[in-house]
Amino acid sequence: MIPLTTTICQDDCQDNCPENNPKSERWQTELARAYRDPEALLSALKLTPEQIPGGISPENPFPLRVPRHYAARMQPGDPNDPLLLQVLSRQLEQTDQPGFLLDPVGDGPATASPGLLHKYQGRVLLITTGACPVHCRYCFRRHYPYSDSRPSNGDWSKAMEYIAADTSISEVILSGGDPLSLSNERLKAISDELAKIPHIRRLRLHTRMPIVLPERVDTGFRDWLSSLPWQTIVVTHCNHANEIDEQVSNTLAELKANGATLLNQAVLLKGINDNVAALVDLSEALFKSGTLPYYLHLLDHVVGAAHFEVEEPVALDLMNGIRRQLPGYLVPKLVREVAGKPHKIPISDPD
Ligand SMILES: *Cc1c(COP(=O)(O)O)cnc(C)c1O
Ligand code: SF4
């Protein structure tokens, strides 16, 4: 049995916990082995806390969580590794920044029923879980009150009634947290309910799991995906080419082989991918694995993430730089999410 030292398990995490579930799958065991202590992660990378600019933050309300497979793609000895900086809880997060909010994208007011966001015409988003395989330090949902806003006991009937009553909804997005934190059985329970609603045409999954814990895409998941009665889209979340190793690449190929259209969204992050070479490499690496770049998001102004901010003029320069080097289909759309707007806002050069 794997010793678990954590006290942060959320309810979906409990489902996955090998201590609670003797029949746990391999990916669940992998998830339970994830690093939860910044010093242990640094030590595995032959680094000390003193080498981290500004220091680490071990007692963090949004604690560190890093799957070992993901950590294995970091460069030992490099305190500025672009994967490490995405996930390492640092002291910098505690600095107050004016204009950085708890709910920067206005999810609260867009809640149509518990766990269901209806912001945009034709699409609804289900917050299926608060659990994630990794805790990205810039996450706009890092303060999201998951436990207050999801239906209790996985009872999606209110959300299903809402979707069934609005025939303009043609696409359902499973999001979270990470929807792949749910077991295959729970995913099937949701899709079985959705299958009763005739006007749904597409199912989209927003997930970081194929990138950070590719073991999650197991036989049961692939069978579920290929059994769905709709066109399916998997939007991965990958910010740097180093996140894609051979196992990730094979996993993306499997998703595609099971019928999914693969898109990627990235966040433009200072010190991680805010240079032309990193963005070009990311697009190339994604396409090599059958994935098209979709969005490049400007940082959401969430409390604790100000040190990742890339200013708009810098972002526009970077976009012009990558446009010069890549075919148009490998250039993501630069967007910002603005609370209350009917779509994500494209950022373009002033005329
Ligand atoms: C981003 C988002 C979507 C999807 O938007 P697309 O532009 O279609 O990718 C849908 N609902 C919510 C609440 C979102 O935040
Ligand atoms: S995987 Fe997505 S939802 Fe989860 S912490 Fe990272 S950015 Fe946030």
Side-chain angles (χ1 to χ4, degrees):
M1 185 57 60
I2 288 140
L4 291 179
T5 51
T6 176
T7 52
I8 57 153
C9 291
Q10 304 183 37
D11 47 357
D12 300 313
C13 172
Q14 294 285 342
D15 264 10
N16 294 331
C17 177
E19 284 193 352
N20 297 339
N21 178 3
K23 287 193 309 200
S24 63
E25 306 283 348
R26 195 164 74 89
W27 71 269
Q28 293 167 321
T29 315
E30 263 314 296
L31 186 58
R33 290 176 67 234
Y35 288 106
R36 288 155 197 275
D37 171 9
E39 299 209 25
L41 172 62
L42 290 178
S43 151
L45 293 170
K46 303 189 170 36
L47 289 166
T48 61
E50 293 69 43
Q51 287 172 277
I52 303 303
I56 59 170
S57 163
E59 302 291 327
N60 197 301
F62 184 58
L64 175 127
R65 181 183 290 185
V66 185
R68 283 169 194 252
H69 183 119
Y70 187 76
R73 286 170 252 161
M74 298 172 185
Q75 188 61 43
D78 181 2
N80 293 310
D81 180 90
L83 276 54
L84 176 65
L85 294 186
Q86 291 182 50
V87 297
L88 183 66
S89 46
R90 283 185 288 166
Q91 212 46 51
L92 282 168
E93 296 176 14
Q94 314 302 332
T95 320
D96 246 1
Q97 285 289 332
F100 280 68
L101 313 173
L102 292 175
D103 176 14
V105 300
D107 276 348
T111 303
S113 117
L116 183 141
L117 303 182
H118 193 184
K119 271 191 191 172
Y120 305 147
Q121 165 77 35
R123 289 146 289 167
V124 290
L125 184 148
L126 296 183
I127 309 264
T128 56
T129 168
C132 283
V134 66
H135 286 174
C136 313
R137 309 316 304 175
Y138 50 84
C139 178
F140 73 97
R141 294 221 175 97
R142 56 180 289 164
H143 306 284
Y144 195 78
Y146 285 109
S147 43
D148 307 341
S149 51
R150 277 181 307 140
S152 51
N153 310 321
D155 175 8
W156 287 99
S157 53
K158 282 270 175 309
M160 297 298 161
E161 280 167 29
Y162 179 91
I163 301 169
D166 184 344
T167 56
S168 74
I169 298 169
S170 56
E171 179 166 346
V172 174
I173 302 170
L174 304 187
S175 181
D178 195 311
L180 272 62
S181 301
L182 299 180
S183 63
N184 296 328
E185 291 71 31
R186 286 212 190 199
L187 288 171
K188 183 167 185 321
I190 294 176
S191 63
D192 283 351
E193 287 304 307
L194 290 171
K196 297 176 189 157
I197 305 175
H199 47 269
I200 295 176
R201 296 201 301 271
R202 291 188 292 275
L203 186 79
R204 197 193 314 181
L205 299 166
H206 278 192
T207 176
R208 195 148 161 62
M209 200 70 95
I211 307 296
V212 300
L213 197 82
E215 293 86 348
R216 173 64 189 91
V217 180
D218 59 8
T219 317
F221 179 80
R222 294 196 298 269
D223 290 348
W224 172 75
L225 185 65
S226 63
S227 76
L228 296 173
W230 314 284
Q231 285 195 298
T232 54
I233 305 108
V234 174
V235 182
T236 55
H237 171 182
C238 176
N239 300 314
H240 196 281
N242 292 2
E243 288 176 279
I244 305 178
D245 66 1
E246 196 180 341
Q247 192 182 353
V248 171
S249 191
N250 293 339
T251 299
L252 294 170
E254 285 170 354
L255 291 170
K256 195 165 186 164
N258 284 280
T261 295
L262 299 184
L263 304 172
N264 183 68
Q265 50 183 345
V267 183
L268 185 57
L269 297 166
K270 190 171 182 174
I272 290 165
N273 58 12
D274 60 336
N275 63 81
V276 172
L279 292 170
V280 167
D281 288 352
L282 173 60
S283 278
E284 293 279 7
L286 286 166
F287 191 66
K288 205 164 161 222
S289 306
T291 305
L292 283 172
Y294 179 38
Y295 282 145
L296 179 63
H297 290 269
L298 290 175
L299 184 77
D300 294 315
H301 288 175
V302 66
V303 170
H307 53 289
F308 289 118
E309 169 89 335
V310 177
E311 301 291 343
E312 224 173 91
V314 177
L316 285 169
D317 274 354
L318 290 171
M319 289 304 293
N320 285 325
I322 65 175
R323 234 176 247 124
R324 270 189 215 109
Q325 295 194 33
L326 289 172
Y329 57 87
L330 292 189
V331 178
K333 299 180 187 75
L334 181 69
V335 292
R336 182 190 288 292
E337 179 142 10
V338 179
K341 296 288 184 199
H343 50 76
K344 315 237 187 265
I345 304 301
I347 308 295
S348 48
D349 281 318
D351 294 327

